[in-house]
Amino acid sequence: LEQFRSAKRLPERFVLCLGTLEPRKNVVGVIRAFNHVKQSGAFGDLHLVIVGAPGWLYRDIFAEAERSPHAGNICFVGSVRDEERALYYSLASAFVYPSFFEGFGLPPLEAMACGTSVVASRTSSLPEVVADAGILVNPYDVAAIAGALSEVLSDQKLRERLIQKGLARAQEYTWQRSAQKTLDVLTRP
């Protein structure tokens, strides 16, 4: 992990946001929440690392980052290889995913499987995926996103509890279990 951190020049402490850069992912909200967290003064060394390829209407995301008073602490990585995703998750201090809507929400599950605490939306499919293994927030409430991030970053006991619950939650989602549930549905009388 430290070799990867050094090779990618990743900061020691960072919040990770991973997904296609498009409006429904609420990356603008993540940047605004990051600004709130940084303005508290308690997280001077904290960075925001945004991983993902530009999607539709992505320019507003880059504009929001450029306007940020903490632009120097925001890093856009672009798309990454699948095998690198786990390394980003594992190095992150927290993972944030306040998407407005999702079909499933694989990134929070991946983050939990890597032992990273998660802050995600309490909308669409995400409460079902994350359950009580992360902090669920209103994606339209930037202060709530910032508050949840601050709490996870500053409360070691909470972070450890979320990590343990996240690891257990991620184990519930296996290809074997998915195949069995699909077979059960298909073979119902």
Side-chain angles (χ1 to χ4, degrees):
L1 287 173
E2 290 309 315
Q3 288 176 339
F4 185 78
R5 182 191 306 275
S6 178
K8 298 297 182 180
R9 296 185 177 140
L10 292 171
E12 189 64 33
R13 287 188 74 192
F14 66 92
V15 172
L16 177 66
C17 177
L18 187 148
T20 305
L21 305 182
E22 57 190 29
R24 76 179 178 94
K25 297 293 186 178
N26 196 19
V27 181
V28 167
V30 169
I31 295 167
R32 291 176 180 165
F34 177 73
N35 290 339
H36 282 270
V37 170
K38 290 290 283 183
Q39 287 169 350
S40 74
F43 304 100
D45 63 337
L46 188 67
H47 289 74
L48 174 60
V49 174
I50 301 171
V51 174
W56 56 280
L57 298 176
Y58 67 90
R59 286 189 176 89
D60 289 345
I61 296 167
F62 289 110
E64 189 69 31
E66 288 173 13
R67 283 191 300 270
S68 169
H70 307 286
N73 295 99
I74 300 172
C75 171
F76 287 92
V77 175
S79 58
V80 297
R81 297 188 325 259
D82 287 343
E83 57 271 15
E84 291 180 332
R85 290 166 67 113
L87 298 168
Y88 280 99
Y89 289 128
S90 297
L91 288 168
S93 302
F95 177 70
V96 62
Y97 201 74
S99 184
F100 293 122
F101 57 91
E102 286 295 324
F104 178 77
L106 192 58
L109 190 60
E110 291 174 335
M112 290 187 294
C114 291
T116 303
S117 52
V118 170
V119 173
S121 292
R122 64 175 184 216
T123 60
S124 68
S125 64
L126 294 171
E128 184 179 343
V129 172
V130 175
D132 68 344
I135 297 179
L136 299 173
V137 297
N138 177 347
Y140 297 95
D141 187 344
V142 170
I145 300 167
L149 283 173
S150 294
E151 195 175 357
V152 165
L153 293 167
S154 62
D155 186 337
Q156 182 65 31
K157 287 183 182 181
L158 171 64
R159 188 167 52 255
E160 288 299 322
R161 190 168 58 249
L162 292 176
I163 289 169
Q164 293 308 314
K165 284 184 172 190
L167 289 168
R169 183 79 179 149
Q171 288 178 3
E172 294 177 25
Y173 289 89
T174 65
W175 284 114
Q176 178 65 32
R177 187 166 184 223
S178 178
Q180 184 60 54
K181 285 187 168 272
T182 302
L183 182 61
D184 292 348
V185 168
L186 295 174
T187 58
R188 256 190 234 157

